[in-house]
Amino acid sequence: MPTYRFLSSWHVPGTAQAAWDAVVHRPQEWPSWWPAVTRTEITEPGGRDGVGQRVSYWLRAPLGYRLAVRTRITEAVAPRVVVVEVIGQLAGSGRWEFVPEPGGVRVDQLWEVTATRWWMRLLAPVAAPAFRWSHDRAARRGGQGLAAWLARGSAR
């Protein structure tokens, strides 16, 4: 199975703590700012630092297919980095880094995942560029949504 390595960077207003809180402590609000995320459910709250938190996500890719994934926070150093295990229709790991910079925060995401759906594995040799495009578009729109959400003060 091919492993996809998706790297995205967003610049968002505010502090690293505000961006951290939006991503780590308020995943139930992702659908309000991330168009690809249609629903989330926290299935286990985890510790105060987030470690152990389990969240189920339902995603609609820009190409129209849907994915259901679960994440479990395995490492967290607030408000700098969070690492998750990904299971479900994608499997692997994700890492978010929050880097203060002039005018806000750079949010770097790295996803290293394999698709577990049979049709995605079957089509991977020819569809990988389309899957990358779909991810990049969904991530870009997520960054724009988070930036607007933080600018409105929704993270308070």
Side-chain angles (χ1 to χ4, degrees):
M1 280 189 281
T3 297
Y4 296 94
R5 187 173 194 275
F6 300 120
L7 179 60
S8 305
S9 290
W10 306 339
H11 176 83
V12 298
T15 65
Q17 186 66 55
W20 168 274
D21 288 342
V23 169
V24 176
H25 293 300
R26 297 174 75 175
Q28 70 278 11
E29 296 187 40
W30 283 26
S32 70
W33 56 262
W34 199 330
V37 179
T38 60
R39 187 168 71 115
T40 61
E41 179 183 328
I42 299 172
T43 58
E44 190 172 318
R48 292 187 75 201
D49 60 358
V51 173
Q53 178 190 68
R54 293 176 189 262
V55 179
S56 294
Y57 300 93
W58 290 266
L59 310 164
R60 191 183 84 236
L63 290 175
Y65 57 87
R66 296 181 184 274
L67 296 169
V69 298
R70 294 179 308 281
T71 59
R72 180 179 61 89
I73 296 177
T74 59
E75 178 185 338
V77 180
R80 294 187 1 226
V81 65
V82 63
V83 179
V84 299
E85 171 189 31
V86 181
I87 55 178
Q89 293 176 333
L90 296 175
S93 64
R95 178 182 181 91
W96 296 66
E97 292 188 44
F98 304 83
V99 182
E101 61 183 16
V105 181
R106 188 181 75 236
V107 180
D108 295 326
Q109 297 180 67
L110 173 62
W111 298 100
E112 294 180 305
V113 295
T114 58
T116 63
R117 297 181 82 180
W118 69 269
W119 68 267
M120 293 180 87
R121 290 194 322 263
L122 180 68
L123 293 177
V126 294
F131 293 155
R132 283 188 183 85
W133 175 87
S134 186
H135 173 271
D136 290 346
R137 179 168 166 79
R140 186 172 48 255
R141 293 183 69 207
Q144 293 165 345
L146 179 58
W149 192 78
L150 289 168
R152 286 191 308 269
S154 299
R156 291 187 200 118

